[in-house]
Amino acid sequence: MPRRFNVRFAPTTQVSVQKPIACDQCQYSEIGTSPQRSRSGCKNCKKRRVKCDETFPVCLRCQKRGTVCESESSLPQWQLEISPLILSDITSPSQVRLLRHWCEKASQIMVLDPESNPFSFPILEYLHISPSLMPTILSISAAHERFFKKDCLETCLEERGKALLLLQKELGGRQQPHPITFMTVFMLGISTPWIDPSSSQFGYEHLNGARALIELILNPSTNTDSKFAQLALGTYLYWDMACSFLVDPNQQSTISSSIPEAVAKIAGDFHPIMGYSAEIMYTLANLGRYCRSFIDLGIRDKALEEEFETRLLAWRPTTKNTELILLGSSFRNHGLINLYRICGRTGCRIEEDLDMGNHSPVDNIETEKVIRQYALQTVRDLSLIPTHNWNTNMQAISLLTAGSELTADDHRERDMVVDRFTALYSINRLPGNLMAIDILQDVWQARDFEITISWVHIMLLRGWRLSLG
């Protein structure tokens, strides 16, 4: 039975959590106010002055209209008792609100299970170790609170500027950075495309710095806490996979041997971001970089392609959790689809069935048929995961890959993909979800004219570096 990665750390800060006195769910309300009529309906319903049924992530009225629903999740509100050490770094009530919003809502978009979230309350214990972490959290929280809208990012950019200055001091003020600094580097890096999604910037410098920190953390002489090391490694693996198509070939570097060795050690452990998929995330990151290099340079390595294919086909879930099995399988299919589509790998092998049952390689099946079968299976599998399930958070990458392979005959599945991306935006508020719909429309239009092109090519032609992780 695989070991479940325990992410509940014993906090050194004094953080007590208790159910609130009756209050509405508006993030601007104060705890302890008298009960009022709920004001947590979506913005569209408020604007139209109609009653909202408050279905999350998309209310019924928005479902009928086919519009984006800017709603609030029904997660419980909590009351925080924060130590003076943390409060000393907070200078205004708005910062207190943003810290609370981070713990209760914004941090939830980064994990599979909000009840086991190391980026929420547990992260508060690290604030006194890495001074840049507090403004980083406040920056992302401020943007998330406003659905990452460009005209509402003043506070976000102000806090982000503070974080970058403090991070420079942390990295330059000591011979060896503290391992906890990884959290700041990760959050600043992964949030870069959230703030300006149409930019070509995706936090490459932060990703590169995070790799150096991971190698430091994995070094036995660093004496990093094992739980934190597992958390940091899994976080890096997912982030690296999500950005693998975005790194120019001339910026790609060799991964040290310490990372694959560490991946093998945590392969059976649960991670709050990637579940039980450490090995497949590592493989997908390397495959993504290879695909991007092939797009730019056109140089093939058939032996490496065969190795990727073998590893992906050999992947097996190590959990009985249905949603995690479906999610892991979708990532596996994401890799195979891109291998066959972008690299044009022919003579590909495919299981006789795609239900994770018996696997018998079958040669000489038309590549297009194989790709479409994987795409349809992925879309249908992901649609089985309810949108209120937080595993939905991590669907975007594989959903985009599978959705881009749907034909005009798959109009029902195309609608399912668009609906799911719209719901994803309502859940995690990341604008990349709406941009993914634009990419899909371009891919589908080309495909309907019998022009086959991958979503990666469309993204690069638009000058985007879309990060959906």
Side-chain angles (χ1 to χ4, degrees):
M1 192 71 183
R3 228 171 39 250
R4 183 177 174 87
F5 177 38
N6 182 5
V7 297
R8 297 190 182 278
F9 304 101
T12 55
T13 54
Q14 299 173 4
V15 181
S16 65
V17 183
Q18 64 184 43
K19 295 252 179 156
I21 304 171
C23 70
D24 59 45
Q25 294 182 7
C26 177
Q27 68 264 37
Y28 301 104
S29 63
E30 297 294 333
I31 289 181
T33 58
S34 58
Q36 298 179 14
R37 180 174 58 86
S38 172
R39 293 177 295 171
S40 58
C42 79
K43 291 187 177 180
N44 283 334
C45 289
K46 289 179 181 178
K47 184 176 181 180
R48 293 171 179 266
R49 297 184 179 182
V50 295
K51 182 176 177 58
C52 180
D53 68 294
E54 301 179 21
T55 300
F56 184 78
V58 182
C59 75
L60 295 180
R61 290 184 185 274
C62 286
Q63 287 182 37
K64 292 179 180 178
R65 289 193 295 266
T67 57
V68 171
C69 184
E70 295 187 13
S71 58
E72 294 290 344
S73 65
S74 56
L75 289 173
Q77 300 289 301
W78 303 99
Q79 182 173 347
L80 297 181
E81 181 182 327
I82 307 174
S83 74
L85 182 63
I86 296 176
L87 289 175
S88 64
D89 295 328
I90 298 179
T91 58
S92 69
S94 64
Q95 290 180 325
V96 175
R97 187 193 75 245
L98 290 176
L99 182 60
R100 171 180 168 177
H101 182 82
W102 168 264
C103 291
E104 295 174 351
K105 296 183 183 295
S107 65
Q108 311 301 344
I109 71 174
M110 307 173 76
V111 295
L112 294 166
D113 180 5
E115 296 299 323
S116 184
N117 184 358
F119 302 104
S120 182
F121 296 105
I123 206 172
L124 300 182
E125 68 172 295
Y126 300 138
L127 295 180
H128 70 285
I129 300 175
S130 176
S132 58
L133 190 53
M134 173 68 84
T136 299
I137 287 174
L138 297 180
S139 172
I140 299 175
S141 182
H144 180 271
E145 189 180 50
R146 302 293 186 174
F147 283 78
F148 293 92
K149 293 183 177 178
K150 287 185 177 181
D151 56 349
C152 301
L153 295 179
E154 182 178 353
T155 301
C156 164
L157 296 176
E158 180 182 346
E159 294 293 341
R160 187 177 178 87
K162 294 177 185 177
L164 290 169
L165 289 175
L166 290 171
L167 179 60
Q168 289 177 357
K169 292 181 180 179
E170 287 182 45
L171 297 177
R174 58 181 69 169
Q175 291 184 340
Q176 183 170 286
H178 196 287
I180 300 302
T181 305
F182 170 84
M183 285 297 180
T184 297
V185 175
F186 161 65
M187 291 184 187
L188 285 174
I190 200 170
S191 63
T192 297
W194 301 350
I195 296 170
D196 189 5
S198 62
S199 168
S200 61
Q201 301 299 315
F202 62 93
Y204 168 75
E205 296 80 4
H206 295 92
L207 180 64
N208 207 32
R211 178 178 299 175
L213 286 170
I214 283 295
E215 293 177 359
L216 172 67
I217 290 170
L218 296 179
N219 190 326
S221 63
T222 308
N223 295 320
T224 307
D225 175 80
S226 60
K227 290 181 180 179
F228 178 80
Q230 285 184 315
L231 173 63
L233 175 60
T235 299
Y236 170 77
L237 290 174
Y238 184 85
W239 183 24
D240 189 35
M241 179 277 301
C243 295
S244 59
F245 286 97
L246 311 181
V247 182
D248 293 334
N250 60 1
Q251 293 180 313
Q252 296 177 7
S253 56
T254 304
I255 295 178
S256 73
S257 60
S258 61
I259 293 181
E261 290 176 1
V263 170
K265 292 179 181 179
I266 68 169
D269 295 337
F270 176 83
H271 190 277
I273 292 181
M274 60 181 181
Y276 295 91
S277 303
E279 289 182 308
I280 200 170
M281 292 298 170
Y282 177 70
T283 299
L284 290 175
N286 290 322
L287 172 60
R289 280 187 288 272
Y290 174 78
C291 288
R292 175 60 194 279
S293 180
F294 179 79
I295 289 173
D296 286 13
L297 306 177
I299 300 174
R300 293 191 65 174
D301 185 337
K302 293 186 178 181
L304 184 57
E305 291 176 14
E306 184 175 356
E307 180 182 344
F308 285 136
E309 184 182 31
T310 300
R311 287 186 178 183
L312 291 171
L313 290 175
W315 178 84
R316 299 291 186 278
T318 58
T319 176
K320 294 182 179 179
N321 182 291
T322 301
E323 287 79 14
L324 291 180
I325 291 174
L326 293 174
L327 192 61
S329 298
S330 75
F331 276 110
R332 190 279 305 264
N333 295 349
H334 153 79
L336 289 169
I337 291 172
N338 283 309
L339 180 63
Y340 300 151
R341 168 63 63 216
I342 295 175
C343 302
R345 180 168 173 76
T346 57
C348 50
R349 298 178 298 161
I350 184 173
E351 300 92 342
E352 288 184 339
D353 52 53
L354 293 176
D355 61 359
M356 306 310 298
N358 296 324
H359 300 267
S360 300
V362 179
D363 296 327
N364 302 320
I365 298 179
E366 294 181 17
T367 303
E368 292 298 324
K369 181 179 178 181
V370 173
I371 292 175
R372 183 166 179 263
Q373 189 171 350
Y374 275 123
L376 287 170
Q377 187 68 54
T378 299
V379 172
R380 292 166 184 170
D381 283 351
L382 291 179
S383 68
L384 296 176
I385 303 177
T387 53
H388 63 263
N389 187 305
W390 284 91
N391 289 341
T392 305
N393 261 338
M394 307 303 173
Q395 289 187 10
I397 295 174
S398 51
L399 188 66
L400 176 57
T401 294
S404 66
E405 297 297 335
L406 300 175
T407 68
D409 294 332
D410 307 319
H411 54 87
R412 177 175 173 271
E413 285 77 12
R414 284 184 176 183
D415 289 342
M416 289 166 58
V417 171
V418 172
D419 290 344
R420 183 54 60 104
F421 268 116
T422 303
L424 276 168
Y425 178 70
S426 297
I427 293 170
N428 57 35
R429 310 184 180 187
L430 301 183
N433 293 303
L434 302 183
M435 296 169 65
I437 296 176
D438 289 340
I439 290 177
L440 286 171
Q441 298 294 351
D442 284 353
V443 174
W444 291 338
Q445 184 177 17
R447 186 172 293 276
D448 292 348
F449 283 98
E450 299 184 352
I451 301 172
T452 301
I453 190 170
S454 75
W455 70 265
V456 181
H457 286 88
I458 293 291
M459 176 191 69
L460 296 176
L461 287 172
R462 282 177 172 257
W464 293 351
R465 296 298 181 271
L466 186 62
S467 176
L468 295 171

